[in-house]
Amino acid sequence: MQAQHTAIPSEEEQQISWKSPSNLAIIKYWGKYGTQFPRNPSISFTLSNAHTTSTIRYAKKPTPSKEVHLEFKFEGKENALFKTKLLKFLESIKSHFPFLTEYNLLIESENSFPHSSGIASSASSMSAIALCLCSMEKSIVGTLQEETEFLKKASYIARLGSGSASRSVYPSLAFWGESERMAGSSNEFAIPYTEKVDPVFLSFHDDILIVSKKEKSVSSTAGHKLMEGNVFADARYQQANDRMDSLLESMRTGDLETFGKICEDEALTLHALMMCSDPSYVLIEPQTLSLIKEIRNYRAETGHPVYFSLDAGPNIHLLYPDHIASEIESWKNNVLQGFCLDILTDHVGKGPQKLSA
Ligand code: PMV
């Protein structure tokens, strides 16, 4: 994964921008080892409206140095905390991009969703930055010309920033983690999921019901770490593999009911694992449970294939195929809206987009 050539000197400032989406895991990654390797394979829907746009401006340093030189702006303003984290990340990956220390860098990022909306942004932000870095390599070094190689390295680098970010570089559905049943799968990078999938799944909406905008009390990093001492850990990793088999089969055959059951079971398992960690912690809120009950009642009453998922936080992801979107709309606005602060509409998306040369 290392760039092979030395940089070509350039006097002028260059820039590169990528827009990269967030993603929602259906089979969840929870528990890791080594340098961000997952304990089990995961699969996610790539989203669309929830995305980060990142731009890297770079100009050759007048005098060389061994350190990465970074200026960083988040939503137009300097942000010391984000800058420190990003600088640490760039220092940690400079062996993959040896040219990084030869340039002064200005990275600017902005999210399409409000900063304190309660939506985790690491998947979209780390994938956007990884894609920009790969474009830099392509332009400066001349490698990564081939799209498959480009996206593979972008996914690999995104993974080092945030595991789930590895999946955001591909459209529709992405698979991450070594699995016997998936040719080409790897713990090091995600791959696009290209097996047969019933088109109904590619029409899925994913509306995010915001019940809290507060920052999580326990970070995902700490949560993954707590899996190491969790007495259910081994059973969980086996369960994730078993559920993956059933989920992929349900997507192949268009079995919405099985898909929805596994999707909800995965969300609840994730939070159950948090609750039985030592120390235990709870990220869901009372409104999260009220919404879960509403969704299950509505499904039982109407027979509509509408399901929920959760990330590592209290907000509900409302999942349903496009053909029932108009029925869902009035229920969402008249009933669900009453339980939450905001609803951000989203859907399965086409993957990242390069915005400039
Ligand atoms: O990518 P991380 O380290 O923030 O972990 C996120 C894990 C979950 O979002 C809870 C599940 C997943 O697979 O995305």
Side-chain angles (χ1 to χ4, degrees), residues 23 25 27-30 32 36 42 122 162-165 167 220-221 224 270 311-312:
N23 69 71
I27 300 293
K28 310 282 185 188
Y29 143 64
W30 199 239
K32 62 180 174 181
Q36 303 261 88
S42 56
S122 65
S162 165
S164 57
R167 298 185 307 245
S220 286
T221 309
H224 285 292
L270 171 69
D311 262 333

Side-chain angles (χ1 to χ4, degrees), residues 141-161:
V141 188
T143 42
L144 304 180
Q145 298 294 332
E146 209 264 306
E147 198 190 0
T148 311
E149 280 307 301
F150 182 97
L151 293 175
K152 186 170 162 181
K153 182 156 180 178
S155 176
Y156 177 100
I157 298 295
R159 180 200 105 232
L160 296 174

Side-chain angles (χ1 to χ4, degrees), residues 70-262:
L70 174 71
E71 281 180 58
F72 177 72
K73 283 189 183 164
F74 180 68
E75 297 184 341
K77 293 194 200 114
E78 290 188 3
N79 184 316
L81 183 67
F82 286 5
K83 179 183 165 172
T84 308
K85 283 189 186 170
L86 186 54
L87 192 56
K88 199 170 154 211
F89 172 63
L90 294 176
E91 284 289 345
S92 76
I93 55 164
K94 65 188 182 189
S95 64
H96 298 290
F97 299 111
F99 56 84
L100 270 183
T101 53
E102 296 173 31
Y103 289 83
N104 288 323
L105 309 173
L106 167 61
I107 301 188
E108 294 168 287
S109 279
E110 52 190 56
N111 293 336
S112 61
F113 42 92
H115 172 45
S116 56
S117 64
I119 301 193
S121 61
S122 65
S124 55
S125 59
M126 293 317 304
S127 56
I129 286 171
L131 287 156
C132 287
L133 292 171
C134 288
S135 284
M136 265 182 91
E137 176 177 331
K138 186 173 169 181
S139 157
I140 295 170
V141 188
T143 42
L144 304 180
Q145 298 294 332
E146 209 264 306
E147 198 190 0
T148 311
E149 280 307 301
F150 182 97
L151 293 175
K152 186 170 162 181
K153 182 156 180 178
S155 176
Y156 177 100
I157 298 295
R159 180 200 105 232
L160 296 174
S162 165
S164 57
S166 65
R167 298 185 307 245
S168 272
V169 308
Y170 295 110
S172 308
L173 282 159
F175 189 102
W176 173 44
E178 228 167 84
S179 163
E180 276 173 15
R181 64 134 50 232
M182 189 56 55
S185 60
S186 169
N187 284 343
E188 302 204 330
F189 46 82
I191 55 172
Y193 186 71
T194 53
E195 304 287 304
K196 180 178 174 273
V197 170
D198 189 289
V200 73
F201 294 106
L202 305 181
S203 82
F204 256 65
H205 290 243
D206 178 345
D207 296 335
I208 308 166
L209 314 179
I210 309 288
V211 305
S212 168
K213 298 187 177 187
K214 284 196 215 127
E215 200 165 308
K216 291 183 282 202
S217 56
V218 178
S219 69
S220 286
T221 309
H224 285 292
K225 202 156 174 40
L226 285 172
M227 280 302 284
E228 283 166 33
N230 192 309
V231 293
F232 298 110
D234 289 340
R236 159 60 193 161
Y237 303 138
Q238 183 57 49
Q239 175 190 59
N241 277 284
D242 295 344
R243 282 183 178 162
M244 180 68 88
D245 288 350
S246 312
L247 184 91
L248 298 184
E249 179 60 13
S250 74
M251 292 203 300
R252 196 180 67 76
T253 57
D255 178 353
L256 282 164
E257 210 174 306
T258 302
F259 171 89
K261 178 182 181 327
I262 296 172

